[in-house]
């Protein structure tokens, strides 16, 4: 499969399986796709950047995308910078370190 095809499949997966990102004022962008290794990098931003459940969303995407798309071997999700940067990055950073998020499985 081409990188463009994998990128499209990844974007479709996120739109269909994690609609909360866009429904709640966030956005995602596929930043990089390595078709040889199956590594994908996704940036989330907008309302996601300051959202209290962003760490859970990140962990869910990183875990579920490789489980559901055979061509994907690993996923890195990061918060977008620039004009779509975090609203409250310090709070989100703190939340990413909380152990409560390790085993949480959001309903998406």
């Amino acid at each position: 499969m081409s990188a463009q095809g994998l990128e499209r499949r990844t974007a479709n997966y996120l739109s269909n399986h994690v609609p909360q990102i866009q429904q709640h004022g966030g956005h995602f962008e596929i930043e990089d796709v390595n078709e040889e290794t199956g590594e994908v990098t996704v940036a989330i931003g907008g309302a996601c950047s300051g959202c209290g459940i962003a760490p859970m969303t990140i962990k869910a995407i990183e875990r579920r995308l490789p489980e559901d798309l055979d061509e994907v071997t690993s996923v890195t999700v990061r918060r977008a910078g620039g004009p779509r940067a975090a609203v409250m990055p310090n709070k989100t950073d703190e939340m990413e370190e909380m152990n409560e998020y390790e085993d949480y499985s959001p309903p998406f």
Side-chain angles (χ1 to χ4, degrees):
M1 173 173 286
S2 71
Q4 185 179 24
L6 184 54
E7 181 175 339
R8 185 174 28 253
R9 285 192 58 187
T10 300
N12 287 339
Y13 178 88
L14 292 173
S15 292
N16 294 325
H17 291 90
V18 196
Q20 298 86 339
I21 292 173
Q22 293 170 317
Q23 290 171 351
H24 296 155
H27 72 275
F28 66 86
E29 178 180 341
I30 312 301
E31 288 192 325
D32 187 49
V33 173
N34 184 325
E35 70 176 291
E36 291 180 21
T37 64
E39 297 172 43
V40 175
T41 302
V42 177
I44 61 172
C48 290
S49 297
C51 178
I53 65 165
M56 292 177 277
T57 301
I58 289 169
K59 289 180 190 298
I61 292 169
E62 289 175 341
R63 186 181 75 245
R64 293 182 182 174
L65 193 56
E67 289 175 358
D68 293 345
L69 294 181
D70 293 337
E71 302 88 359
V72 176
T73 59
S74 70
V75 179
T76 301
V77 181
R78 67 171 201 81
R79 289 190 309 272
R84 298 177 168 185
V87 176
M88 301 182 325
N90 58 334
K91 293 295 180 192
T92 305
D93 287 342
E94 289 173 19
M95 294 177 95
E96 287 176 355
E97 301 301 319
M98 294 174 69
N99 291 331
E100 288 85 356
Y101 294 124
E102 291 300 318
D103 296 323
Y104 180 77
S105 183
F108 48 83

